Amino acid sequence: MGIFSYRHRILVTLSLLAMNFALSSFSFAQDPANTLTRSEQELKKINTELNELTDTLAVSSGETTDAIQLKLFQKNEQLRALLATAVSQNSLPEQELISQIELQKKYSKGATDYLENKIKELNTKIDAAKNEERLSLINESQELQHYLNTVIKSSWQNINWLKSLGLDESDLEEQFRVSVIHRLRLTSASVEYFSQQIGVIGNQLSVSPESEKAGLQLSQLVVRQRMAIAIESLSTLIFVADQLGIDTSEHKRLLFEVTGSITQDLLDAKVILTILSHWSNSAFEWFSTTAPQHLFQLFIFVLLLFITRIVVKLVRQVIKKTVSTKNLNISHLMQDFFIGISGNIVWIIGIMIALSQLGLNLAPVLTGFGIAGVIIGFALQDTLSNFAAGMMLLIYRPFDVGDFVFAGGVDGKVSHMSLVNTTIKTFDNQIIIIPNGKIWGDVIKNVTHERLRRVDMVFGIGYADDLLKAERILTDIVTSHPATLKNPEPNIRVHTLNTSSVDFIVRPWVKTDDYWDVYWDITKEVKLTFDREGISIPFPQQDVHLHMVEKSES
């Protein structure tokens, strides 16, 4: 049967209570004269329907019984709506109206006693049950409390109806007022207790191992549902208490703090003062008890960060001196990598230690970093590809800062390197930043990697010029230049008998830094010396021969 049948057991009990009181007042149902007013006719009709539903309920079963029970409760609500209209419009005889309201008073009292007993029994079961069983019991408790809230409102409405009809209900109103005040205190205490329990369980969740979190989360859910029931009841009681002129500012303050809901009640100056007073008391208590500890923890946190900063500087200086020694022969990129990574590692360790002093659980933080790392990895695939290429450049060292290279389709001098990109300054002083992935995936030519370089030049002379003389001149020019090296020896040979010239290869060895100076100097000196010695430097020529063909006579 479960919650559904339990709910309807409550409904039928309340409905039968209403039926017993309503039918006992059905004094005009057999009036032979057709003198009933419209309101009396409607009241007669509802009472007749209640009587018929009661008879049907006695012989029904299964789902039909549940439907009839719900219908009985709804009919009683229609009866109350009719009484409310009759009181406001005075559409029923006063004595009949008073009789009906008196019966509703008895019904409300009987329903209140019945529901309170059921709620007490159910709360005892909830306290003794396991968390898995509590959820279903709490749903039943929520139904009961909802009906009780409705009955409490009805009780206050009954008193108002009788007062509007001129009856003295001051004693009953005072009793009801005391009851509401008592209920307000108990319900507010329950709301406050459940709110504290949620905070305690939340703190336990933050430090408990994963194996215990499932049980704590279920306990937290149970407490939250019980607090929701108490909050609904407190809202109803505040509404009724306001009608009775009871001071509810403290209860409204509690309701605002636990729910955070902003209502028109907050516009009341007394409620605002109560909230501000409570906050100021809480702030004073915090400053007097908790603030010194937190301030000390904050001081330790800042101190640890300051110490970490000093240690980072020292570590970076030590690593910089270590990796900069000539014996290690480490590239600039690798030096920067070691210096940067050492400082970052120290920073991470220092920040983690400082956060732990604030009472922060580092396990969720590290887990969050791991998840964030996966997400960032998918989002930055190209950047990570460039980073991986930078690591390969760091390990294999095809070039370094200051080298002249051809890389990524660009000629120039390497001015800066990082693990993501490389900055190259071209010979016309342009700055070009190339992703490392493009460099590593293409041909890399390092012009200045080696200490010595060979200068390759080709000079041509005419076929009519003195070959040996030209060879001597070239040898003298090369050997006389101060920047050319004797070892390895320069290579000067007749290389090609070209179409228009006899070509010599001239290949002296120089220091890498002297490459272009030697190239330009020797080229210039060869031209001047050949002109002075009468040796020609031919340019490409092509002979065109024209043959005259006589036109034959036809």
Side-chain angles (χ1 to χ4, degrees):
M1 296 289 286
I3 298 172
F4 183 75
S5 61
Y6 185 86
R7 174 185 177 184
H8 286 285
R9 289 201 301 272
I10 301 301
L11 282 172
V12 73
T13 303
L14 298 178
S15 301
L16 290 175
L17 281 170
M19 274 294 303
N20 290 334
F21 294 127
L23 293 178
S24 64
S25 66
F26 192 22
S27 59
F28 50 82
Q30 306 297 329
D31 190 348
N34 191 16
T35 59
L36 299 179
T37 64
R38 182 176 179 181
S39 296
E40 290 173 330
Q41 291 175 358
E42 290 178 354
L43 187 61
K44 174 184 175 181
K45 180 181 177 182
I46 291 177
N47 278 287
T48 302
E49 291 176 353
L50 285 170
N51 192 18
E52 292 173 353
L53 287 170
T54 304
D55 293 339
T56 306
L57 182 65
V59 297
S60 63
S61 62
E63 295 182 357
T64 305
T65 301
D66 293 337
I68 295 173
Q69 290 170 357
L70 182 61
K71 192 70 175 177
L72 280 168
F73 184 78
Q74 292 172 345
K75 282 298 175 183
N76 187 66
E77 292 301 309
Q78 290 181 16
L79 180 64
R80 290 193 60 81
L82 180 60
L83 290 175
T85 303
V87 170
S88 62
Q89 298 179 359
N90 198 20
S91 57
L92 283 175
E94 183 175 315
Q95 191 57 41
E96 181 62 35
L97 198 55
I98 292 173
S99 176
Q100 290 286 336
I101 297 172
E102 288 290 344
L103 291 171
Q104 284 294 319
K105 279 173 53 180
K106 295 179 182 179
Y107 162 69
S108 296
K109 186 178 185 310
T112 300
D113 295 338
Y114 171 79
L115 289 170
E116 284 182 339
N117 291 331
K118 286 295 181 182
I119 291 173
K120 287 179 181 178
E121 293 175 4
L122 199 54
N123 285 337
T124 302
K125 291 182 180 179
I126 291 173
D127 293 335
K130 297 180 180 179
N131 283 336
E132 295 79 3
E133 302 171 352
R134 286 182 175 181
L135 293 176
S136 59
L137 295 174
I138 287 174
N139 288 332
E140 296 174 8
S141 176
Q142 187 173 16
E143 294 288 345
L144 289 173
Q145 192 64 53
H146 174 72
Y147 294 134
L148 180 58
N149 294 337
T150 303
V151 171
I152 290 173
K153 288 183 178 179
S154 299
S155 299
W156 169 240
Q157 193 176 34
N158 294 333
I159 295 173
N160 274 339
W161 285 345
L162 293 174
K163 287 172 63 178
S164 65
L165 294 173
L167 274 67
D168 184 11
E169 295 294 323
S170 56
D171 292 340
L172 181 61
E173 183 177 352
E174 183 60 29
Q175 293 176 7
F176 185 69
R177 177 188 177 90
V178 172
S179 173
V180 169
I181 293 174
H182 179 67
R183 290 178 187 276
L184 272 173
R185 290 173 181 170
L186 292 179
T187 309
S188 294
S190 298
V191 171
E192 207 160 5
Y193 171 75
F194 290 138
S195 179
Q196 291 174 356
Q197 285 295 104
I198 291 174
V200 170
I201 297 175
N203 293 334
Q204 292 175 351
L205 273 172
S206 63
V207 298
S208 63
E210 291 295 330
S211 58
E212 299 178 5
K213 284 190 175 180
L216 289 172
Q217 288 172 346
L218 185 57
S219 298
Q220 191 178 52
L221 177 62
V222 168
V223 176
R224 285 187 183 276
Q225 289 187 341
R226 297 188 72 177
M227 187 172 76
I229 296 171
I231 288 173
E232 181 185 359
S233 180
L234 182 60
S235 299
T236 301
L237 291 170
I238 289 174
F239 171 77
V240 175
D242 286 338
Q243 307 300 317
L244 290 165
I246 299 172
D247 182 14
T248 58
S249 56
E250 184 65 25
H251 306 291
K252 290 176 181 177
R253 188 271 310 166
L254 175 62
L255 197 63
F256 167 69
E257 289 184 354
V258 296
T259 63
S261 300
I262 299 175
T263 62
Q264 62 181 6
D265 293 330
L266 293 179
L267 300 177
D268 187 356
K270 195 168 185 179
V271 176
I272 295 175
L273 289 175
T274 303
I275 293 174
L276 293 177
S277 175
H278 184 268
W279 284 356
S280 62
N281 292 335
S282 300
F284 178 77
E285 182 180 357
W286 184 85
F287 276 110
S288 61
T289 57
T290 309
Q293 179 183 355
H294 288 328
L295 290 175
F296 180 73
Q297 289 177 336
L298 182 61
F299 171 74
I300 297 297
F301 176 77
V302 175
L303 180 62
L304 287 174
L305 290 182
F306 179 74
I307 294 174
T308 301
R309 182 180 179 184
I310 296 175
V311 174
V312 167
K313 289 183 178 180
L314 292 176
V315 169
R316 283 180 173 174
Q317 289 178 359
V318 171
I319 296 297
K320 184 176 181 180
K321 289 182 179 179
T322 303
V323 298
S324 299
T325 56
K326 294 183 179 180
N327 294 333
L328 292 178
N329 193 22
I330 297 177
S331 66
H332 284 83
L333 178 59
M334 186 170 287
Q335 292 177 20
D336 294 340
F337 173 76
F338 281 132
I339 295 171
I341 198 68
S342 62
N344 292 336
I345 290 174
V346 174
W347 265 120
I348 292 173
I349 295 173
I351 291 174
M352 290 297 180
I353 295 174
L355 290 175
S356 65
Q357 296 302 310
L358 292 178
L360 181 66
N361 186 10
L362 298 181
V365 176
L366 296 176
T367 303
F369 281 153
I371 297 173
V374 174
I375 296 173
I376 293 172
F378 279 108
L380 302 177
Q381 294 184 33
D382 293 339
T383 302
L384 292 178
S385 175
N386 292 328
F387 182 84
M391 292 297 297
M392 300 302 291
L393 293 175
L394 184 149
I395 294 170
Y396 289 99
R397 297 176 56 191
F399 57 82
D400 202 353
V401 174
D403 288 344
F404 287 93
V405 298
F406 175 81
V410 177
D411 280 317
K413 180 181 179 180
V414 179
S415 62
H416 177 72
M417 295 176 65
S418 71
L419 290 175
V420 179
N421 54 56
T422 299
T423 303
I424 294 179
K425 181 183 289 187
T426 62
F427 298 112
D428 57 350
N429 211 30
Q430 297 184 51
I431 298 296
I432 299 179
I433 300 174
I434 309 172
N436 286 338
K438 187 174 182 181
I439 293 176
W440 186 251
D442 202 352
V443 176
I444 300 173
K445 182 171 71 173
N446 190 337
V447 177
T448 57
H449 183 270
E450 296 297 331
R451 188 173 60 86
L452 302 179
R453 286 191 64 189
R454 190 182 70 185
V455 183
D456 290 352
M457 295 174 286
V458 178
F459 299 105
I461 64 173
Y463 276 92
D465 294 322
D466 188 342
L467 183 67
L468 296 178
K469 181 180 179 181
E471 185 177 6
R472 286 195 303 271
I473 293 172
L474 291 174
T475 302
D476 292 340
I477 293 173
V478 170
T479 56
S480 63
H481 196 286
T484 58
L485 301 177
K486 302 297 187 291
N487 187 23
E489 294 182 355
N491 188 16
I492 302 172
R493 295 287 187 271
V494 177
H495 182 59
T496 304
L497 298 178
N498 217 330
T499 55
S500 301
S501 62
V502 177
D503 293 340
F504 284 86
I505 57 170
V506 178
R507 296 176 176 176
W509 286 87
V510 298
K511 293 180 181 179
T512 300
D513 294 339
D514 297 332
Y515 180 90
W516 288 109
D517 291 336
V518 171
Y519 184 93
W520 293 324
D521 290 347
I522 290 180
T523 301
K524 176 182 177 182
E525 189 63 28
V526 167
K527 174 66 170 87
L528 294 174
T529 304
F530 276 9
D531 289 346
R532 192 167 54 249
E533 297 294 333
I535 297 175
S536 64
I537 300 177
F539 49 86
Q541 299 180 15
Q542 186 174 12
D543 294 334
V544 179
H545 300 277
L546 298 177
H547 297 277
M548 302 298 294
V549 180
E550 294 182 358
K551 185 177 180 181
S552 59
E553 294 181 359
S554 58

